[in-house]
Amino acid sequence: MKKNEINFAEAESCPVRNILDRFGDKWSTLVILILGNYDKLRFNELQKMIGTVSQKMLAVTLKKLEADGLVTRKVYPQVPPKVEYSLTELGLSLLPKIESLVQWANENMAEITENRSLSEVK
């Protein structure tokens, strides 16, 4: 194995597998994209924008993104508690990569959908 070669077989040491496993779930990418369009959002605002995510799944997703340093959570000392979420500098650095993926998906979705249909016919 070359010195700079990534060992894709080892899940723990493979940066690609490790990172994609962490934010490649159903909701994390959407959360990053939405927060990238706003300075900060409250939990309920974020949930309404996504629409189909449960409170529990959104809470779990935000905790994972916060643990990775992609999202920051600010709690205001008031009653009822006010909590706002925003992207960190690290999260903002990931945003253009995700936006490129979104652009690619928009450009190629029709062909992918067609290929899926053809595959189901076989």
Side-chain angles (χ1 to χ4, degrees):
M1 178 182 286
K2 294 179 183 176
K3 188 174 185 178
N4 293 331
E5 190 174 311
I6 297 171
N7 183 356
F8 294 104
E10 297 295 325
E12 293 299 316
S13 62
C14 175
V16 175
R17 288 175 66 177
N18 190 288
I19 298 299
L20 287 178
D21 180 54
R22 191 64 170 189
F23 73 82
D25 61 33
K26 188 173 182 178
W27 306 114
S28 295
T29 304
L30 286 174
V31 168
I32 292 168
L33 282 168
I34 292 169
L35 288 176
N37 286 308
Y38 297 88
D39 286 335
K40 55 191 169 233
L41 287 173
R42 295 180 73 176
F43 185 93
N44 289 337
E45 294 171 323
L46 190 53
Q47 187 179 23
K48 284 178 188 173
M49 288 181 181
I50 295 173
T52 56
V53 66
S54 69
Q55 285 187 346
K56 181 180 179 181
M57 277 310 306
L58 182 55
V60 167
T61 299
L62 287 165
K63 283 180 184 177
K64 283 184 0 182
L65 293 172
E66 186 180 5
D68 284 349
L70 299 171
V71 168
T72 187
R73 178 179 184 260
K74 183 172 182 180
V75 180
Y76 294 89
Q78 64 185 53
V79 177
K82 178 181 175 182
V83 179
E84 292 178 333
Y85 297 90
S86 59
L87 290 181
T88 63
E89 288 299 317
L90 186 60
L92 288 168
S93 73
L94 175 59
L95 190 59
K97 281 50 169 170
I98 294 175
E99 288 171 337
S100 293
L101 179 59
V102 169
Q103 180 181 351
W104 181 89
N106 286 332
E107 291 169 357
N108 294 285
M109 193 62 210
E111 183 178 349
I112 291 169
T113 302
E114 183 179 335
N115 291 336
R116 287 177 183 170
S117 297
L118 293 172
S119 177
E120 291 172 3
V121 172
K122 294 180 182 178

Coordinates of all heavy atoms in Angstrom, one line a residue, residues 47-111:
Q47 N -37.7 22.4 11.3 CA -38.6 21.3 11.1 C -39.7 21.6 10.1 O -40.0 20.7 9.2 CB -39.3 20.8 12.5 CG -40.1 19.5 12.3 CD -40.7 19.1 13.6 OE1 -40.9 19.9 14.5 NE2 -41.0 17.8 13.7
K48 N -40.3 22.8 10.1 CA -41.3 23.1 9.1 C -40.7 23.2 7.7 O -41.4 22.8 6.8 CB -41.9 24.5 9.5 CG -42.9 24.4 10.6 CD -43.4 25.8 11.0 CE -44.2 25.7 12.3 NZ -44.6 27.0 12.8
M49 N -39.5 23.6 7.6 CA -38.8 23.7 6.3 C -38.6 22.3 5.7 O -38.7 22.2 4.5 CB -37.6 24.5 6.3 CG -37.8 26.0 6.6 SD -36.3 26.9 6.6 CE -36.8 28.5 6.9
I50 N -38.2 21.4 6.5 CA -38.0 20.0 6.1 C -39.3 19.3 5.8 O -39.5 18.6 4.8 CB -37.1 19.2 7.1 CG1 -35.7 19.9 7.1 CG2 -37.0 17.8 6.6 CD1 -34.8 19.3 8.2
G51 N -40.3 19.5 6.7 CA -41.6 19.0 6.5 C -41.8 17.6 7.0 O -42.7 17.4 7.8
T52 N -41.1 16.6 6.6 CA -41.4 15.2 6.9 C -40.5 14.6 8.0 O -40.6 13.4 8.2 CB -41.3 14.4 5.6 OG1 -40.0 14.6 5.1 CG2 -42.3 14.8 4.6
V53 N -39.7 15.4 8.6 CA -38.8 14.8 9.7 C -39.6 14.9 11.0 O -40.2 15.9 11.3 CB -37.5 15.6 9.7 CG1 -37.6 17.0 10.2 CG2 -36.5 14.9 10.6
S54 N -39.4 13.8 11.8 CA -40.0 13.9 13.2 C -39.1 14.7 14.1 O -38.0 15.0 13.8 CB -40.1 12.4 13.7 OG -38.8 11.9 14.0
Q55 N -39.7 15.1 15.2 CA -39.0 15.9 16.2 C -37.8 15.1 16.7 O -36.7 15.7 16.8 CB -39.8 16.3 17.4 CG -40.8 17.4 17.1 CD -41.5 17.9 18.3 OE1 -41.5 17.3 19.3 NE2 -42.2 19.1 18.2
K56 N -38.0 13.8 16.9 CA -36.9 13.0 17.5 C -35.8 12.9 16.5 O -34.6 13.0 16.8 CB -37.4 11.6 17.8 CG -36.4 10.7 18.4 CD -36.9 9.3 18.7 CE -35.7 8.5 19.2 NZ -36.2 7.1 19.6
M57 N -36.1 12.6 15.2 CA -35.0 12.5 14.2 C -34.3 13.8 14.0 O -33.1 13.8 13.8 CB -35.6 12.0 12.9 CG -35.8 10.5 12.8 SD -34.4 9.5 13.3 CE -33.1 10.1 12.3
L58 N -35.0 14.9 14.0 CA -34.3 16.2 13.8 C -33.4 16.5 15.0 O -32.3 16.9 14.8 CB -35.3 17.3 13.6 CG -34.8 18.7 13.4 CD1 -33.8 18.7 12.2 CD2 -35.9 19.7 13.2
A59 N -33.9 16.2 16.2 CA -33.0 16.4 17.4 C -31.8 15.5 17.3 O -30.7 16.0 17.6 CB -33.8 16.1 18.7
V60 N -31.9 14.2 16.9 CA -30.8 13.3 16.8 C -29.8 13.9 15.7 O -28.6 13.9 15.9 CB -31.2 11.9 16.5 CG1 -30.1 11.0 16.0 CG2 -32.0 11.3 17.7
T61 N -30.3 14.3 14.6 CA -29.5 14.8 13.5 C -28.8 16.0 13.9 O -27.5 16.1 13.7 CB -30.4 15.1 12.3 OG1 -31.1 13.9 11.9 CG2 -29.6 15.7 11.1
L62 N -29.4 17.0 14.6 CA -28.7 18.2 15.1 C -27.7 17.9 16.1 O -26.6 18.5 16.0 CB -29.8 19.2 15.6 CG -30.7 19.9 14.6 CD1 -31.9 20.5 15.2 CD2 -29.9 20.9 13.8
K63 N -27.9 16.9 17.0 CA -26.9 16.5 18.0 C -25.7 15.9 17.3 O -24.5 16.2 17.7 CB -27.5 15.5 19.0 CG -28.4 16.2 20.0 CD -28.9 15.2 21.0 CE -29.9 15.9 21.9 NZ -30.5 15.0 22.9
K64 N -25.9 15.1 16.2 CA -24.7 14.5 15.5 C -23.9 15.6 14.8 O -22.7 15.6 14.9 CB -25.2 13.5 14.5 CG -25.6 12.2 15.1 CD -26.0 11.1 14.1 CE -26.0 11.4 12.6 NZ -26.5 10.4 11.8
L65 N -24.6 16.5 14.1 CA -24.0 17.6 13.4 C -23.2 18.5 14.4 O -22.2 19.0 14.1 CB -25.0 18.4 12.5 CG -25.6 17.6 11.4 CD1 -26.7 18.4 10.7 CD2 -24.5 17.2 10.4
E66 N -23.8 18.7 15.5 CA -23.2 19.6 16.6 C -21.9 18.9 17.1 O -20.9 19.5 17.3 CB -24.2 19.9 17.7 CG -23.6 20.8 18.7 CD -24.6 21.1 19.8 OE1 -25.7 20.5 19.9 OE2 -24.3 22.0 20.7
A67 N -22.0 17.6 17.3 CA -20.9 16.8 17.9 C -19.7 16.8 16.9 O -18.6 16.8 17.3 CB -21.3 15.4 18.1
D68 N -20.0 16.8 15.6 CA -19.0 16.9 14.5 C -18.4 18.3 14.3 O -17.5 18.5 13.5 CB -19.5 16.3 13.2 CG -19.6 14.8 13.3 OD1 -19.0 14.2 14.2 OD2 -20.2 14.2 12.3
G69 N -19.1 19.3 15.0 CA -18.6 20.7 14.8 C -19.1 21.4 13.5 O -18.6 22.4 13.1
L70 N -20.2 20.8 12.9 CA -20.7 21.4 11.7 C -21.9 22.4 12.0 O -22.1 23.3 11.3 CB -21.3 20.3 10.8 CG -20.2 19.3 10.3 CD1 -20.9 18.2 9.6 CD2 -19.2 20.0 9.4
V71 N -22.5 22.2 13.2 CA -23.6 23.0 13.6 C -23.4 23.5 15.0 O -22.8 22.8 15.8 CB -25.0 22.2 13.5 CG1 -26.1 23.0 14.2 CG2 -25.3 21.9 12.1
T72 N -23.8 24.7 15.3 CA -23.7 25.3 16.6 C -25.1 25.5 17.2 O -26.0 25.9 16.4 CB -22.8 26.5 16.7 OG1 -22.7 26.9 18.1 CG2 -23.5 27.7 16.0
R73 N -25.3 25.3 18.5 CA -26.6 25.5 19.1 C -26.4 26.6 20.2 O -25.5 26.5 21.0 CB -26.9 24.2 19.8 CG -28.2 24.1 20.6 CD -28.3 22.7 21.1 NE -29.6 22.6 21.8 CZ -29.8 22.6 23.1 NH1 -28.7 22.8 23.9 NH2 -30.9 22.5 23.7
K74 N -27.2 27.6 20.1 CA -27.2 28.7 21.0 C -28.5 28.7 21.8 O -29.6 28.8 21.2 CB -27.0 30.0 20.3 CG -26.8 31.2 21.3 CD -26.4 32.5 20.6 CE -26.2 33.6 21.6 NZ -25.8 34.8 21.0
V75 N -28.3 28.6 23.1 CA -29.5 28.7 24.0 C -29.6 30.0 24.7 O -28.6 30.5 25.3 CB -29.4 27.5 25.1 CG1 -30.6 27.6 26.0 CG2 -29.2 26.2 24.5
Y76 N -30.7 30.6 24.7 CA -31.0 31.9 25.3 C -31.7 31.7 26.6 O -32.6 30.9 26.7 CB -31.8 32.8 24.4 CG -31.2 33.2 23.1 CD1 -31.3 32.4 22.0 CD2 -30.4 34.4 23.1 CE1 -30.7 32.8 20.8 CE2 -29.8 34.7 21.9 CZ -29.9 33.9 20.8 OH -29.3 34.3 19.6
P77 N -31.2 32.3 27.7 CA -31.8 32.1 29.0 C -33.1 32.8 29.2 O -33.1 34.0 29.7 CB -30.7 32.6 30.0 CG -29.9 33.6 29.2 CD -30.0 33.2 27.8
Q78 N -34.1 32.3 28.7 CA -35.4 32.9 28.9 C -36.5 31.8 29.0 O -36.2 30.6 28.8 CB -35.8 33.8 27.7 CG -35.8 33.0 26.3 CD -36.0 34.0 25.2 OE1 -35.2 34.9 25.0 NE2 -37.0 33.7 24.4
V79 N -37.7 32.1 29.4 CA -38.8 31.2 29.5 C -39.9 31.6 28.5 O -40.3 32.7 28.5 CB -39.3 31.2 30.9 CG1 -40.5 30.2 31.1 CG2 -38.2 30.8 31.9
P80 N -40.3 30.7 27.6 CA -39.7 29.4 27.4 C -38.3 29.5 26.7 O -38.0 30.5 26.1 CB -40.7 28.7 26.4 CG -41.4 29.8 25.7 CD -41.4 31.0 26.7
P81 N -37.5 28.4 26.8 CA -36.2 28.5 26.3 C -36.2 28.8 24.8 O -37.0 28.3 24.1 CB -35.6 27.1 26.6 CG -36.5 26.5 27.6 CD -37.8 27.1 27.4
K82 N -35.3 29.6 24.4 CA -35.1 29.9 22.9 C -33.8 29.3 22.5 O -32.7 29.6 23.1 CB -35.1 31.4 22.7 CG -34.9 31.8 21.3 CD -34.9 33.3 21.1 CE -34.6 33.7 19.7 NZ -34.5 35.2 19.5
V83 N -33.8 28.4 21.5 CA -32.6 27.8 21.0 C -32.5 28.0 19.5 O -33.5 27.9 18.8 CB -32.7 26.3 21.2 CG1 -31.4 25.6 20.7 CG2 -32.8 26.0 22.7
E84 N -31.3 28.5 19.0 CA -31.1 28.7 17.6 C -29.9 27.9 17.1 O -29.0 27.6 17.9 CB -30.8 30.2 17.4 CG -32.0 31.1 17.6 CD -31.6 32.6 17.4 OE1 -30.5 32.9 17.6 OE2 -32.6 33.3 17.1
Y85 N -30.1 27.4 15.9 CA -29.0 26.6 15.3 C -28.5 27.3 14.1 O -29.2 28.0 13.4 CB -29.6 25.3 14.8 CG -30.1 24.4 15.9 CD1 -31.4 24.5 16.4 CD2 -29.3 23.5 16.6 CE1 -31.9 23.7 17.4 CE2 -29.7 22.8 17.6 CZ -31.0 22.9 18.1 OH -31.5 22.1 19.1
S86 N -27.2 27.2 13.9 CA -26.5 27.8 12.7 C -25.3 26.9 12.3 O -24.8 26.1 13.1 CB -26.1 29.2 13.0 OG -25.2 29.3 14.1
L87 N -24.8 27.1 11.1 CA -23.6 26.4 10.7 C -22.4 27.1 11.3 O -22.3 28.3 11.4 CB -23.5 26.5 9.2 CG -24.5 25.6 8.4 CD1 -24.2 25.7 6.9 CD2 -24.5 24.2 8.8
T88 N -21.4 26.3 11.6 CA -20.1 26.7 12.1 C -19.3 27.0 10.8 O -19.7 26.8 9.7 CB -19.4 25.7 12.9 OG1 -19.2 24.5 12.1 CG2 -20.2 25.3 14.1
E89 N -18.1 27.5 11.0 CA -17.1 27.7 9.9 C -16.9 26.4 9.2 O -16.8 26.4 7.9 CB -15.8 28.3 10.4 CG -15.9 29.8 10.8 CD -16.4 30.7 9.7 OE1 -15.9 30.6 8.5 OE2 -17.3 31.6 9.9
L90 N -16.7 25.3 9.9 CA -16.5 24.0 9.3 C -17.8 23.6 8.5 O -17.6 23.1 7.4 CB -16.3 23.0 10.4 CG -15.9 21.6 10.0 CD1 -14.6 21.6 9.1 CD2 -15.7 20.6 11.2
G91 N -18.9 23.8 9.0 CA -20.2 23.5 8.3 C -20.3 24.4 7.0 O -20.7 23.9 6.0
L92 N -19.9 25.6 7.1 CA -19.9 26.5 6.0 C -18.9 26.1 4.9 O -19.2 26.2 3.7 CB -19.7 28.0 6.4 CG -20.8 28.7 7.2 CD1 -20.3 30.0 7.8 CD2 -22.0 28.9 6.3
S93 N -17.8 25.5 5.3 CA -16.8 25.0 4.4 C -17.3 23.8 3.6 O -16.9 23.5 2.5 CB -15.5 24.7 5.1 OG -15.6 23.6 5.8
L94 N -18.2 23.0 4.2 CA -18.8 21.9 3.6 C -19.9 22.2 2.6 O -20.2 21.5 1.6 CB -19.4 20.9 4.7 CG -20.1 19.7 4.2 CD1 -19.2 18.8 3.3 CD2 -20.6 18.9 5.4
L95 N -20.6 23.3 2.9 CA -21.8 23.8 2.1 C -21.5 23.8 0.6 O -22.3 23.3 -0.2 CB -22.3 25.1 2.6 CG -23.6 25.6 2.1 CD1 -24.7 24.6 2.4 CD2 -23.9 27.0 2.7
P96 N -20.4 24.4 0.1 CA -20.3 24.4 -1.4 C -20.2 23.0 -2.0 O -20.6 22.8 -3.1 CB -19.0 25.2 -1.6 CG -18.7 25.9 -0.3 CD -19.4 25.1 0.8
K97 N -19.6 22.1 -1.3 CA -19.5 20.7 -1.8 C -20.9 20.1 -1.9 O -21.2 19.4 -2.9 CB -18.6 19.8 -0.8 CG -17.1 20.0 -0.9 CD -16.6 21.3 -0.8 CE -15.1 21.4 -0.7 NZ -14.6 22.7 -0.8
I98 N -21.7 20.3 -0.9 CA -23.1 19.8 -0.9 C -23.9 20.5 -2.0 O -24.7 19.8 -2.7 CB -23.8 19.9 0.4 CG1 -23.1 19.0 1.5 CG2 -25.3 19.6 0.4 CD1 -23.6 19.2 2.9
E99 N -23.7 21.8 -2.2 CA -24.4 22.5 -3.2 C -24.0 22.0 -4.6 O -24.8 21.9 -5.5 CB -24.1 24.0 -3.1 CG -24.9 24.6 -1.9 CD -24.5 26.0 -1.6 OE1 -23.4 26.5 -2.0 OE2 -25.3 26.7 -1.0
S100 N -22.7 21.6 -4.8 CA -22.3 21.0 -6.0 C -23.0 19.7 -6.3 O -23.4 19.4 -7.4 CB -20.8 20.7 -6.0 OG -20.1 22.0 -6.0
L101 N -23.2 18.9 -5.3 CA -23.9 17.6 -5.4 C -25.4 17.9 -5.7 O -26.0 17.2 -6.6 CB -23.8 16.8 -4.1 CG -24.6 15.5 -4.0 CD1 -24.1 14.6 -5.1 CD2 -24.4 14.9 -2.6
V102 N -26.0 18.9 -5.1 CA -27.4 19.3 -5.5 C -27.5 19.7 -6.9 O -28.4 19.2 -7.6 CB -27.8 20.4 -4.5 CG1 -29.2 21.0 -5.0 CG2 -28.0 19.9 -3.1
Q103 N -26.5 20.5 -7.4 CA -26.5 20.9 -8.8 C -26.4 19.7 -9.7 O -27.1 19.5 -10.7 CB -25.4 21.9 -9.1 CG -25.3 22.3 -10.5 CD -24.2 23.3 -10.8 OE1 -23.5 23.7 -9.9 NE2 -24.0 23.6 -12.0
W104 N -25.5 18.7 -9.4 CA -25.3 17.5 -10.2 C -26.6 16.7 -10.2 O -27.1 16.2 -11.2 CB -24.2 16.7 -9.6 CG -23.9 15.4 -10.4 CD1 -23.1 15.3 -11.5 CD2 -24.5 14.2 -10.2 NE1 -23.2 14.0 -12.0 CE2 -24.1 13.3 -11.2 CE3 -25.4 13.7 -9.3 CZ2 -24.4 12.0 -11.3 CZ3 -25.8 12.3 -9.3 CH2 -25.3 11.5 -10.3
A105 N -27.3 16.6 -9.0 CA -28.5 15.8 -8.9 C -29.6 16.5 -9.8 O -30.3 15.8 -10.5 CB -28.9 15.7 -7.5
N106 N -29.7 17.8 -9.7 CA -30.7 18.5 -10.5 C -30.5 18.3 -12.0 O -31.4 18.1 -12.8 CB -30.7 20.0 -10.2 CG -31.4 20.3 -8.9 OD1 -32.3 19.5 -8.4 ND2 -31.0 21.3 -8.2
E107 N -29.2 18.3 -12.4 CA -28.9 18.1 -13.8 C -29.1 16.7 -14.3 O -29.3 16.5 -15.5 CB -27.4 18.6 -14.1 CG -27.2 20.0 -13.9 CD -25.7 20.4 -13.9 OE1 -24.8 19.5 -13.9 OE2 -25.4 21.6 -13.8
N108 N -29.0 15.7 -13.4 CA -29.0 14.3 -13.9 C -30.2 13.5 -13.4 O -30.3 12.3 -13.7 CB -27.7 13.7 -13.4 CG -26.5 14.2 -14.1 OD1 -26.3 14.0 -15.3 ND2 -25.8 15.1 -13.4
M109 N -31.1 14.1 -12.6 CA -32.2 13.3 -12.0 C -33.1 12.7 -13.1 O -33.5 11.6 -12.9 CB -33.0 14.2 -11.1 CG -33.9 13.4 -10.2 SD -33.1 12.3 -9.2 CE -34.3 11.0 -9.0
A110 N -33.4 13.4 -14.2 CA -34.2 12.9 -15.2 C -33.6 11.6 -15.8 O -34.3 10.6 -16.0 CB -34.5 13.9 -16.3
E111 N -32.3 11.6 -16.1 CA -31.7 10.5 -16.7 C -31.6 9.3 -15.7 O -31.8 8.2 -16.0 CB -30.2 10.8 -17.1 CG -29.5 9.7 -17.8 CD -28.1 10.1 -18.2 OE1 -27.8 11.3 -18.3 OE2 -27.4 9.2 -18.6

